[in-house]
């Protein structure tokens, strides 16, 4: 039998080695010409997956990074090789060849996936540069959610019912009708807090 964990470790070592070679070339220590492109491989359950597998992998899940490198002489005067050196051309074959390692990476991150047959899993890849923008968007959303929960005085584990209850409690207390008789400075502070609570509620999907 094939030791998928061993294959994964070997692939990770090679990935690190390629990255170091590119760094060395960028530092001017190599006379060769390099094209180095990184991709994110994602997985999801295919049409033949069981209900359990479909639930765990109902959408694309980023699982591993893949590096494709082309090295050789300068391409400026050779249009034919320029086209052949496009890393995207090698991507489908690389993903197909490395499916065992990619799935092992997914199973190590989420052991419950080991019960899902690799044969019912679909694989796809996209440039790491594109994925970086997605990660930033997710990170911003996560940061905004954390801040919104803090504004409402809720833990990260809060469910929609908790959010609605906390919002209602604060809105009643901070509503302009309830703060109309306060001193001007306190009324302004309450109004500002009222707007923050409303914004937090909207961020959390209210």
């Amino acid at each position: 039998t094939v030791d998928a964990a061993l294959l994964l470790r070997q692939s990770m070592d090679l990935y690190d080695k390629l990255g170091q070679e590119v760094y060395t070339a960028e530092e001017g220590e190599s006379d060769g010409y390099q094209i180095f492109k990184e991709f994110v491989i994602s997985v999801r359950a295919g049409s033949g997956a069981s209900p359990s597998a479909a639930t765990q992998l109902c959408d694309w899940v980023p699982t591993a990074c893949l590096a494709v490198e082309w090295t050789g002489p300068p391409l400026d005067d050779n249009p034919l090789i320029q086209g052949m050196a496009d890393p995207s051309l090698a991507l489908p074959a690389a993903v197909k060849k490395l499916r065992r390692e990619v799935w092992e990476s997914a199973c190590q991150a989420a052991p419950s996936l080991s019960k899902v047959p690799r044969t019912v899993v679909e694989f796809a890849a996209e440039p790491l540069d594109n994925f970086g923008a997605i990660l930033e968007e997710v990170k911003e959303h996560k940061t905004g959610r954390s801040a919104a929960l803090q504004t409402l005085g809720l833990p990260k584990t809060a469910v929609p019912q908790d959010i609605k209850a906390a919002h209602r409690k604060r809105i009643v207390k901070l509503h302009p009708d309830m703060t109309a008789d306060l001193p001007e400075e306190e009324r302004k502070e309450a109004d500002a807090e009222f707007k923050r609570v409303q914004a937090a509620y909207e961020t959390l999907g209210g």
Side-chain angles (χ1 to χ4, degrees):
T1 59
V2 177
D3 187 340
L6 176 60
L7 289 176
L8 176 60
R9 286 195 297 272
Q10 292 173 342
S11 296
M12 293 171 65
D13 290 342
L14 180 58
Y15 183 91
D16 292 340
K17 180 181 177 182
L18 288 176
Q20 183 59 42
E21 288 178 354
V22 170
Y23 173 78
T24 300
E26 290 176 347
E27 293 295 308
E29 299 178 23
S30 173
D31 296 329
Y33 186 87
Q34 290 183 306
I35 294 179
F36 181 82
K37 188 77 173 179
E38 292 178 282
F39 300 87
V40 173
I41 306 179
S42 300
V43 298
R44 73 174 179 184
S47 57
S50 66
S52 175
T55 299
Q56 293 184 78
L57 294 171
C58 60
D59 202 354
W60 291 109
V61 178
T63 302
C65 286
L66 169 68
V68 179
E69 180 187 35
W70 187 92
T71 58
L75 304 179
D76 298 340
D77 299 326
N78 197 326
L80 177 60
I81 297 183
Q82 283 181 4
M84 294 172 60
D86 182 355
S88 299
L89 297 178
L91 187 58
V95 172
K96 183 177 182 179
K97 182 176 179 60
L98 295 170
R99 281 182 297 183
R100 184 181 286 106
E101 290 90 327
V102 171
W103 187 238
E104 175 64 20
S105 177
C107 292
Q108 288 189 13
S112 61
L113 293 178
S114 60
K115 298 179 181 179
V116 179
R118 178 166 50 86
T119 53
V120 302
V121 177
E122 297 178 350
F123 298 78
E126 61 180 317
L128 180 60
D129 293 342
N130 296 352
F131 194 76
I134 297 174
L135 287 179
E136 284 300 318
E137 183 177 340
V138 171
K139 182 178 179 181
E140 290 178 5
H141 175 74
K142 184 177 180 180
T143 301
R145 176 178 171 79
S146 297
L149 288 171
Q150 186 175 6
T151 297
L152 295 179
L154 293 170
K156 294 180 180 179
T157 54
V159 297
Q161 293 87 339
D162 299 329
I163 294 171
K164 286 184 178 181
H167 171 256
R168 188 181 302 114
K169 179 179 178 180
R170 281 165 172 72
I171 286 300
V172 169
K173 180 179 178 181
L174 297 168
H175 194 277
D177 290 344
M178 301 296 293
T179 60
D181 296 331
L182 293 176
E184 182 178 356
E185 194 63 31
E186 293 183 27
R187 191 170 64 250
K188 288 181 178 179
E189 291 179 2
D191 183 58
E193 182 63 16
F194 177 86
K195 292 177 180 178
R196 284 194 291 270
V197 168
Q198 282 291 80
Y201 186 58
E202 291 175 6
T203 297
L204 296 170

